[in-house]
Amino acid sequence: MERVESYASFGGTQEVWKHRSEVLDCEMKFAVYLPPAAAEGPCPVLYWLSGLTCTEQNFITKAGAQRYAAEEGVIIVAPDTSPRGEDVADAEGYDLGKGAGFYVNATREPWAAHYQMHDYVVDELPALIEANFPVSEKRAIFGHSMGGHGALVLALRNPGRYASVSAFSPIVAPTQVPWGEKALGAYLGDDREAWKAWDATELVATATERLPLLIDQGDSDQFLAEQLQPERLVGACEEVGHPIELRMQPGYDHSYYFIASFIGDHIRHHARALKG
């Protein structure tokens, strides 16, 4: 593991590290913000999952999260969105391949060799963080768009692992929208029943943990009607009594201007759960 960036920020340190991932069979980067409290002792960890086309850089340069993480004494870890490297499979367009890992474990070639993002984010990366940084046993997870999908699915698939979960503009029903159909078909094959294991609207029906879902969604989001459709998740939650709060934000779009406007709310939401 090698540190490649380090910047003083709000009394703490914003760092970027690279390492060899055994799960993904390639070199990966991740960002970690260490608040001032980390110098005094272990802090809880909040994992951020970014959306399509992003790397670890988008969140740390655009979201304005460091201020709130410093205030709350929370470490934030932001991994890349897919495997990287010359031998890693890719595709034309922005919504499949590099930058579009969808946080699933691919079973179909040529993707299966590297695209095991679920296991990387849930198991390998936390083990690395917990072995090398002053962290407590408490974890939470949030994300945006494809990363919002990832946060919801990872939390629902792994009961007890996260103290809280939230999302900005998530793809809540990837089995039923174009982005998800393209990615799940490529990574998992043609069996649509297998796709349901990676769909938040399907997973809430059998969830053994009633972890409350917090979602912020801009009502001027250009992808709202075709790709996001948060009402599907609200309906699925209402059917089984799974707690969910959907906050429709007037005038906001899909961009990091939207994320930066409400990131403080989300970090405080997670800090309460992590410290409680």
Side-chain angles (χ1 to χ4, degrees), residues 86-240:
E86 292 184 4
D87 61 340
V88 173
D90 200 5
E92 292 185 7
Y94 70 93
D95 53 358
L96 186 67
K98 294 177 186 178
F102 265 81
Y103 305 101
V104 305
N105 286 341
T107 57
R108 189 180 187 185
E109 297 301 336
W111 312 102
H114 298 283
Y115 285 74
Q116 305 294 315
M117 286 298 293
H118 171 277
D119 287 357
Y120 176 71
V121 174
V122 172
D123 297 316
E124 187 180 29
L125 182 59
L128 195 68
I129 296 299
E130 290 159 18
N132 291 279
F133 297 95
V135 303
S136 73
E137 74 283 1
K138 291 283 193 174
R139 310 177 197 90
I141 192 166
F142 66 155
H144 171 236
S145 194
M146 176 186 73
H149 142 77
L152 295 171
V153 166
L154 269 56
L156 290 166
R157 284 175 60 100
N158 296 277
R161 189 151 185 82
Y162 302 104
S164 53
V165 58
S166 72
F168 292 84
S169 327
I171 306 168
V172 302
T175 62
Q176 302 176 69
V177 298
W179 274 342
E181 289 176 321
K182 180 176 181 178
L184 298 179
Y187 297 143
L188 304 176
D190 298 329
D191 180 5
R192 297 182 73 97
E193 283 298 309
W195 299 4
K196 292 181 179 180
W198 305 99
D199 185 313
T201 63
E202 298 288 343
L203 291 170
V204 293
T206 56
T208 58
E209 178 186 42
R210 294 303 190 203
L211 196 63
L213 311 181
L214 171 63
I215 295 174
D216 269 318
Q217 173 65 62
D219 71 359
S220 295
D221 190 319
Q222 63 269 41
F223 303 112
L224 177 58
E226 183 179 20
Q227 305 283 9
L228 306 179
Q229 303 177 9
E231 67 279 1
R232 289 184 181 270
L233 183 57
V234 172
C237 287
E238 289 176 346
E239 283 187 13
V240 296

Side-chain angles (χ1 to χ4, degrees), residues 26 51 57 61-62 74 116 122 208 239 263 274:
C26 67
Q57 291 290 325
T61 59
K62 296 180 178 181
V74 173
Q116 305 294 315
V122 172
T208 58
E239 283 187 13
I263 194 71
L274 289 164

Side-chain angles (χ1 to χ4, degrees), residues 35-48:
E40 307 298 326
C43 296
V45 186
L46 179 53
Y47 288 87
W48 169 266

